[in-house]
Amino acid sequence: MGGSVRTGIWNYFRANSSAHLYGDLGGTRLYYSEAPETPTKPYCVYHVFNEVYDFTFDLEFEEALIQFDYYGETADICDDGIADIKAMFDYAMLTLDGYVCLRMEREVVFSPSKIEPEDIWSGVVRYNLLMKSSPSASESPSESPSESPSFSPS
């Protein structure tokens, strides 16, 4: 699931090349987990946390916490970056392998704060992503026992 979410976020970012966030980050400075040693500013690092399962009747749901850490040279640059993250990812419908994206909802925003001694500012936007497992290619709805032609209740 984690790989699917990571890929889904990256692909969504790349597919929205006209968005401010894409332009601010030069189309490439969105990193998973950690940035390179000396990244060009501004840049953004995202993380995927909390792979939690929830079962309701016959459906399987999973939740993940997605955190975007935006880094820039000033608080104003970070404020703009946070606004751009919200504009791109609030209620985004990600394309995920093996899952259907049901909701990507913003949970919290942490205002920019200065990180010493690096002399850089950072702001955080956190989302809750709700997904449903999608049937595998080998399963189709018509293959379920209740809909199978060979099934007959006794």
Side-chain angles (χ1 to χ4, degrees):
M1 188 272 291
S4 178
V5 174
R6 288 191 301 269
T7 302
I9 290 171
W10 177 253
N11 289 343
Y12 189 82
F13 171 73
R14 298 289 293 181
N16 287 281
S17 60
S18 62
H20 284 122
L21 182 64
Y22 185 90
D24 291 348
L25 300 178
T28 60
R29 294 189 309 269
L30 176 66
Y31 306 105
Y32 175 70
S33 188
E34 66 180 311
E37 184 87 19
T38 54
T40 301
K41 296 176 196 79
Y43 64 95
C44 186
V45 178
Y46 69 99
H47 311 273
V48 179
F49 304 105
N50 295 347
E51 297 176 11
V52 177
Y53 294 95
D54 186 17
F55 296 95
T56 306
F57 302 105
D58 62 343
L59 298 176
E60 180 182 342
F61 295 98
E62 292 190 42
E63 288 184 295
L65 186 67
I66 313 299
Q67 180 171 307
F68 292 92
D69 301 327
Y70 194 93
Y71 298 91
E73 295 172 328
T74 68
D76 288 341
I77 289 172
C78 284
D79 278 332
D80 291 345
I82 287 170
D84 293 344
I85 289 169
K86 293 187 300 186
M88 180 179 278
F89 286 102
D90 280 11
Y91 300 102
M93 294 306 289
L94 304 178
T95 302
L96 306 168
D97 290 337
Y99 297 90
V100 175
C101 179
L102 300 175
R103 179 188 71 225
M104 185 156 172
E105 188 170 64
R106 181 171 14 112
E107 281 194 340
V108 68
V109 173
F110 295 105
S111 297
S113 59
K114 194 167 188 178
I115 300 172
E116 299 288 350
E118 290 85 6
D119 197 30
I120 190 170
W121 289 79
S122 175
V124 175
V125 183
R126 193 176 295 158
Y127 290 90
N128 180 277
L129 175 64
L130 179 64
M131 307 160 281
K132 179 181 79 159
S133 293
S134 62
S136 68
S138 63
E139 297 174 2
S140 69
S142 64
E143 292 177 348
S144 68
S146 61
E147 297 176 9
S148 172
S150 62
F151 177 78
S152 59
S154 305

